Amino acid sequence: MGDFGVFFGRADQLLDTAFEGEPELRVVEPRDASVSVFDLGLLRGDGVFEATTVVDDVPLAWHLHLRRLAQSAAALDLPAPNLRVLDAFVREAIRRMGPTPHAHVKLVITRGVDASLSAVSLPVVPTVFALVDPGFGRRAPEIEIVTLERELFRDSAERAPWLLLGAKTLSYATNMAARREYERRGAQNAVFVTRDGYVLEGPQSSVVIREGNRVATPHPRIGILHGTTQVELFAWAALNGLEISYEDIPTERLFAADAVWTMGASFVQSVTAVDGRAVAHDLAATDAINGFMQSQRAAIDAWTSSHLPG
Amino acid sequence: MGDFGVFFGRADQLLDTAFEGEPELRVVEPRDASVSVFDLGLLRGDGVFEATTVVDDVPLAWHLHLRRLAQSAAALDLPAPNLRVLDAFVREAIRRMGPTPHAHVKLVITRGVDASLSAVSLPVVPTVFALVDPGFGRRAPEIEIVTLERELFRDSAERAPWLLLGAKTLSYATNMAARREYERRGAQNAVFVTRDGYVLEGPQSSVVIREGNRVATPHPRIGILHGTTQVELFAWAALNGLEISYEDIPTERLFAADAVWTMGASFVQSVTAVDGRAVAHDLAATDAINGFMQSQRAAIDAWTSSHLPG
């Protein structure tokens, strides 16, 4: 296992849509890499992030992540990121790691130091950094999940945009609490459901079901992240002649489906039980999807670029 | 305006209930005070905090804050804080600032560096620090507020403890978004309401109404923080012969009440309008309450210690 890489960027380049040059990177020793205690990313979870798997130096589906990052930044009233320059920033960070067969990269943008704390006299600009983790572990192909109530309705995101339901923010304390909860229940993942009985997403993953010749996932307008790996799975499905659909999915359909998958970071896991009840599953198909995601990047990128999520 | 103070503590003292000594403080220059980029407080908003006003070297109602901090830590499965030692830690931090007539102190506990990132070889212990801000500004005595939908029900906290609704975590991105929303609407604060029509709390404050000879506030079991300043206001009310009550409060009662107050950090603000509709208000009573909170600390501490929140 190699060392982590930590790379800081400049907000006046990465968050200035008029910037036309190449981004500067500041490489920092992982042990010394830090942010101010006055950073609102720390004090308020006030920031956004994206993360993906790196295979042979390539951050997978990175165009989808950047697209979502821009949407998250808009939801939080952060400056609009310069996606071309951010893309170059992350690819250069990976390049500086040397040959990287398999890793994980995370890009973080915080609101920066609290502007109301003038006495600190630190610059009040967003903090931007990338972390590259070369020791990224394999996940199990088959898992059991539980449903966890999220106490929202399927129209909550529309009614209350200040809840930031579709934004990928640094405020993940409840996601982490949900993770501890499903572990306590002996499961390997959870799926949040609404109070009116619809499927949302996992604390750190998306959900897709297959019913016959058709794969379906909850529509992002229900108040979830638009999963990048879910879009990649839709590429596999479309290229294999399956019908694809974004729709509201009642929780009961998890139990009746021909397959239930959770997914993230370009890896799909086959669900074998929901709330302790066995569900139909298909490890061979799951392996095929994961093989496709690892080997057919050009096909995936072409399909996902021409079928950009809403 | 003096300088900020930044003081780091040791988890093996402050979060060890068996520790019997006095806490060590590490004083750090504000400009240089930082936490690791791998700290879960930053990457996941995974931590808890408390903050209060300091008057003449005394952190107001600090016993109530420490009590709530312990409850928040339990909700997040963090190690139980040693409240005696944490109390000494914060008081020593204030003492080292020199004479402090008026300031703001914040205490932060994060889960620390991500244990799954073994390559970083940083110690995996919670991060604990206190910030003292001597340039704490005055707030307006009268404000207008708006109601913001929180898309929860009054039994949501009970049904879904993983939502951490009663815990004061670092995941405040939605609180900050709600703040931008009420500012966009020209208001100075907001009150979250449930989907079934009950009052919750502000993004950074509690709500109390007066109806005749009676003051009422939402019961914390509805899924809100138990406000420390609200408890202090109840001390004022009880010592002035008013009836006090924790109960579910339908939103309509904000409009019909004899007074509506929002409050935090031992300061009460009088609400003059809700969603653009004028409401009954009483600046003289509000001034009396704030005067009481500033001058009658012994009476408040005695009352609040013998009427500890559920």
Side-chain angles (χ1 to χ4, degrees), chain A residues 18-287:
Chain A
F19 179 71
E20 294 189 339
E22 291 308 307
E24 290 171 41
L25 282 77
R26 186 163 58 84
V27 187
V28 184
E29 272 299 305
R31 281 189 68 90
D32 305 326
S34 62
V35 302
S36 166
V37 293
F38 298 102
D39 195 295
L40 290 166
L42 172 68
L43 295 179
R44 298 296 191 189
D46 198 2
V48 297
F49 77 102
E50 284 294 335
T52 194
T53 303
V54 178
V55 175
D56 294 335
D57 308 330
V58 176
L60 302 186
W62 191 240
H63 61 296
L64 297 176
H65 288 277
L66 286 175
R67 186 184 163 81
R68 188 169 66 186
L69 186 76
Q71 292 166 343
S72 297
L76 270 73
D77 298 306
L78 287 167
N82 184 324
L83 297 187
R84 180 194 65 80
V85 185
L86 265 181
D87 185 56
F89 173 75
V90 166
R91 289 178 197 276
E92 177 63 16
I94 294 166
R95 201 190 63 76
R96 296 212 190 165
M97 298 291 290
T100 304
H102 202 254
H104 185 255
V105 62
K106 178 180 283 200
L107 174 65
V108 175
I109 301 177
T110 83
R111 201 176 299 278
V113 164
D114 190 341
S116 71
L117 306 176
S118 54
V120 186
S121 50
L122 287 163
V124 179
V125 293
T127 302
V128 189
F129 61 90
L131 306 178
V132 186
D133 173 1
F136 184 55
R138 272 261 167 276
R139 284 165 290 169
E142 293 190 319
I143 58 171
E144 303 193 3
I145 68 171
V146 294
T147 57
L148 290 181
E149 183 57 64
R150 185 68 183 75
E151 291 296 308
L152 298 170
F153 274 66
R154 62 167 156 168
D155 58 357
S156 290
E158 214 164 88
R159 283 165 46 104
W162 44 86
L163 298 181
L164 306 176
L165 294 175
K168 197 168 174 75
T169 79
L170 296 173
S171 287
Y172 255 44
T174 51
N175 305 58
M176 298 296 105
R179 192 167 149 168
R180 292 190 295 277
E181 179 65 22
Y182 71 65
E183 285 170 355
R184 263 193 288 269
R185 297 189 190 184
Q188 292 82 52
N189 202 353
V191 168
F192 286 124
V193 296
T194 67
R195 185 137 173 167
D196 48 346
Y198 292 88
V199 175
L200 292 169
E201 63 191 342
Q204 300 175 276
S205 57
S206 308
V207 185
V208 174
I209 61 174
R210 182 176 70 75
E211 295 167 321
N213 193 38
R214 189 166 179 279
V215 294
T217 198
H219 195 292
R221 74 168 165 243
I222 202 169
I224 58 173
L225 300 188
H226 195 149
T228 56
T229 311
Q230 169 263 304
V231 177
E232 296 176 81
L233 187 148
F234 271 25
W236 166 82
L239 295 171
N240 283 278
L242 295 171
E243 194 186 329
I244 57 175
S245 173
Y246 292 98
E247 62 195 43
D248 290 349
I249 300 178
T251 309
E252 309 85 79
R253 279 168 62 191
L254 291 178
F255 297 97
D258 296 309
V260 178
W261 293 294
T262 63
M263 62 209 65
S266 299
F267 188 75
V268 174
Q269 294 179 291
S270 175
V271 173
T272 60
V274 179
D275 291 334
R277 285 167 57 189
V279 295
H281 52 280
D282 184 346
L283 185 56
T286 308
D287 286 344

Side-chain angles (χ1 to χ4, degrees), chain B residues 153-228:
Chain B
F153 274 68
R154 62 169 156 167
D155 58 358
S156 290
E158 214 164 88
R159 283 165 47 103
W162 43 88
L163 299 181
L164 306 175
L165 293 175
K168 196 168 175 76
T169 79
L170 296 174
S171 287
Y172 254 44
T174 52
N175 305 59
M176 298 295 106
R179 191 167 149 168
R180 292 190 295 277
E181 179 65 21
Y182 70 65
E183 286 170 354
R184 263 193 287 271
R185 298 189 189 184
Q188 291 82 52
N189 202 353
V191 167
F192 286 124
V193 296
T194 67
R195 185 138 173 167
D196 48 347
Y198 292 90
V199 175
L200 291 169
E201 64 190 341
Q204 301 176 275
S205 56
S206 308
V207 185
V208 175
I209 61 175
R210 182 177 69 75
E211 295 167 320
N213 193 38
R214 189 164 179 279
V215 293
T217 198
H219 196 292
R221 74 168 164 244
I222 201 169
I224 59 174
L225 300 187
H226 195 149
T228 56

